[in-house]
Amino acid sequence: MTGRKACKVCNFTRQTSHGLAVLSLDELKTKGRELLGFSSSAQVTAVLEDDGTVVEDQAYFLCLPSNTKFMLLHEKETWSPVHRIDGGTAWMARDSLMLETDAVDSSIVAVPWSNLAQQMKQDLTSIILMSEADLQTLVDAPCPELASALGFQEKKVEELQETLQRVLDRREEERQSKQLLQLYLKAVEQEKRVKEEPSQHSHGGGRNVDVPDETEIDSASGFMSRTLMVLKGKTSPETRLSTEDLQMIVTRSVEVMEQVLNWDRARTSALLQACEAELTKRLQQVQALQSIRSNTQPDSSRLSSETSMEEGKET
């Protein structure tokens, strides 16, 4: 028995209490699980029964006096103080507290934001590590119930939810801006590749190529020879044509394009739909870029105005 510490353990209802002598905090948890009827694999937390202080450090455990009473808690169990009522009715209050605690616990488990609220109540900075789905869950939670779970005023919780919504909106705007920029860079790359292909054919292999043949206008269709060559011989031709070529193509009917390409109706219709979708996407990208450019112009004009004023002062 040398070096062993006399302790007491109980569950969160305080109805069951046992005395034991242990050498370490881990041994306290192991023997406590057996005495209280917990599963040997259950994760438990040891807290001081009188004030709920969490005991996790072995050195702190050894500094505690003998016969200190500990409470072992499951993951979903929380410490609560003892309610003492004079007149010999303390056991009635304890049973009532047990029933209320069970009811609250069952209601918390039923809602998706309860665990998040418990994390925030223990450590408010844990909100930094929450995912966007968790933040959206907190935003959608009922304000009065969330305020009660956190122990905050409803006004404060309402401001917290508004702040979280602004954070989510800003992240969504950043994602959309990034996607728009990627689409723009992709369109520029495709346009550049389309312009480089004719020059590569004209200089390839050191042979003289009849360039006017590609730029010659076909009298029957009105398209340039290069455009017809791309339409007939390239995969995804709509991505290889210029915007002007796409505009000319979508204005033609299916019957006309069938005669020009000598294709069947289904293949011709699919090509026209692809060209129309590509043209619409490019026009939307141009409009978005113009909008971004118009938003940045006031800042540029203000900066140039301030620069002119400073130069005037120096003169």
Side-chain angles (χ1 to χ4, degrees), residues 221-224 226-232 236-258 260-261 263 267-279 282:
S221 62
F223 292 107
M224 289 190 298
R226 182 183 62 82
T227 302
L228 294 176
M229 180 182 65
V230 173
L231 289 174
K232 295 180 179 181
S236 300
E238 69 276 2
T239 62
R240 302 171 181 268
L241 296 175
S242 64
T243 303
E244 292 78 5
D245 291 337
L246 291 175
Q247 290 175 341
M248 183 180 297
I249 292 172
V250 297
T251 56
R252 305 296 178 88
S253 63
V254 179
E255 292 77 8
V256 173
M257 293 304 297
E258 282 181 2
V260 172
L261 300 175
W263 288 356
R267 186 178 179 186
T268 305
S269 299
L271 174 64
L272 289 178
Q273 291 176 1
C275 292
E276 185 175 358
E278 179 67 19
L279 179 61
R282 294 187 188 182

Side-chain angles (χ1 to χ4, degrees), residues 140-173:
D140 297 336
C143 184
E145 297 179 12
L146 183 59
S148 177
L150 294 175
F152 294 164
Q153 297 179 355
E154 289 189 18
K155 181 64 176 178
K156 186 175 181 181
V157 173
E158 184 177 353
E159 294 175 355
L160 175 62
Q161 289 179 321
E162 292 176 356
T163 302
L164 295 179
Q165 186 61 59
R166 287 196 296 269
V167 171
L168 293 174
D169 293 342
R170 185 171 65 251
R171 291 182 181 178
E172 181 64 25
E173 291 175 359

